[in-house]
Amino acid sequence: MKILELGWEIELQDLAHAAAMSEEQLRQIMGFYGNDVWHYIYYLTKSADIADDLAQEVFIKCFYRIGTYRGSSSFKAWLFTIARNTVFSYRKSRFFRSGFWGGVQAIRNNEPVRNSWPDELPGTARSAEMEYLGNRRTDEIWSIIMQLPDKFREVLVLDLKAELSIQEIAGLTGLSPGTVKSRLHRARHKVQEKLRGMES
């Protein structure tokens, strides 16, 4: 599988079983996946500052742990596994226990990602479901998603924002595919109920 974007490419299959990656490969991976990883961490933590810090940590881990990537899942799913584990480790840290987390900060469609994380890549298509809901402002929909319980919010973010398959979400979260489908169905239902409530 190749990543083709903005005139560069990475042979992802070459990274499976690789002993190391180059700094140039890391920069390209950060350019391509930086937004996705940052947003996933943001949706898990509800803090842009924490997402800034942990996203950088994820790519440092990616660089040093590339030897653990076997190619049995997509590279993106492997990165998201690192991101998820990094968030869970952070939650157990003294910072989490001491109430370091900040409040929810709204993500606007046109707001650039904080620090040096790249903006959405040109030509990135919104998912069909977001197009379906597109008569509402996207930030309004994501604001509703952010209010969902963690177990529903995470699977919906992985589906809509990261565009992972049911199998990839199941592998990442440790849930069965059936549970993922059930949670996605319930999460969508909760969002639709909120949207209808706002219209009445």
Side-chain angles (χ1 to χ4, degrees):
M1 174 184 172
K2 293 182 181 179
I3 297 175
L4 297 173
E5 191 65 36
L6 305 178
W8 55 265
E9 71 179 50
I10 300 173
E11 294 277 356
L12 286 184
Q13 65 267 27
D14 291 347
L15 293 178
H17 306 285
M21 74 166 64
S22 69
E23 290 184 14
E24 177 59 24
Q25 285 175 315
L26 178 63
R27 276 193 293 273
Q28 291 176 349
I29 289 168
M30 287 174 68
F32 196 78
Y33 291 117
N35 248 1
D36 291 336
V37 168
W38 189 95
H39 280 105
Y40 177 53
I41 294 171
Y42 174 85
Y43 292 123
L44 290 179
T45 64
K46 302 183 181 181
S47 169
D49 290 333
I50 293 171
D52 286 344
D53 293 339
L54 297 189
Q56 292 180 45
E57 187 177 330
V58 166
F59 286 103
I60 291 169
K61 288 177 179 177
C62 168
F63 183 78
Y64 287 107
R65 296 181 184 174
I66 190 61
T68 66
Y69 176 57
R70 298 290 178 241
S72 56
S73 64
S74 71
F75 190 80
K76 185 176 189 177
W78 181 74
L79 266 182
F80 272 54
T81 299
I82 294 174
R84 189 174 198 260
N85 291 338
T86 300
V87 169
F88 286 178
S89 294
Y90 175 82
R91 286 179 172 172
K92 295 175 185 174
S93 74
R94 62 186 175 86
F95 298 106
F96 177 75
R97 289 195 303 270
S98 64
F100 180 73
W101 283 17
V104 177
Q105 301 175 33
I107 289 183
R108 306 257 182 258
N109 231 11
N110 58 357
E111 179 182 305
V113 173
R114 296 166 59 94
N115 283 349
S116 59
W117 300 108
D119 293 341
E120 292 287 350
L121 295 170
T124 301
R126 294 163 68 198
S127 73
E129 190 156 0
M130 291 307 289
E131 289 291 349
Y132 173 74
L133 297 170
N135 54 354
R136 289 200 162 271
R137 287 176 28 200
T138 304
D139 60 337
E140 197 173 70
I141 294 167
W142 284 111
S143 176
I144 293 170
I145 291 172
M146 290 299 289
Q147 296 171 32
L148 293 175
D150 290 351
K151 66 180 183 179
F152 298 128
R153 186 174 69 242
E154 182 178 16
V155 293
L156 199 53
V157 167
L158 290 171
D159 178 55
L160 293 178
K161 191 74 177 169
E163 298 181 348
L164 296 185
S165 69
I166 297 291
Q167 292 296 330
E168 287 176 322
I169 295 171
L172 175 62
T173 59
L175 301 170
S176 71
T179 301
V180 171
K181 288 178 185 176
S182 172
R183 287 189 182 181
L184 279 172
H185 175 75
R186 292 176 66 188
R188 291 182 182 115
H189 182 69
K190 287 176 181 293
V191 171
Q192 289 165 358
E193 277 186 335
K194 288 271 189 182
L195 288 173
R196 283 194 291 269
M198 292 169 69
E199 287 169 353
S200 57

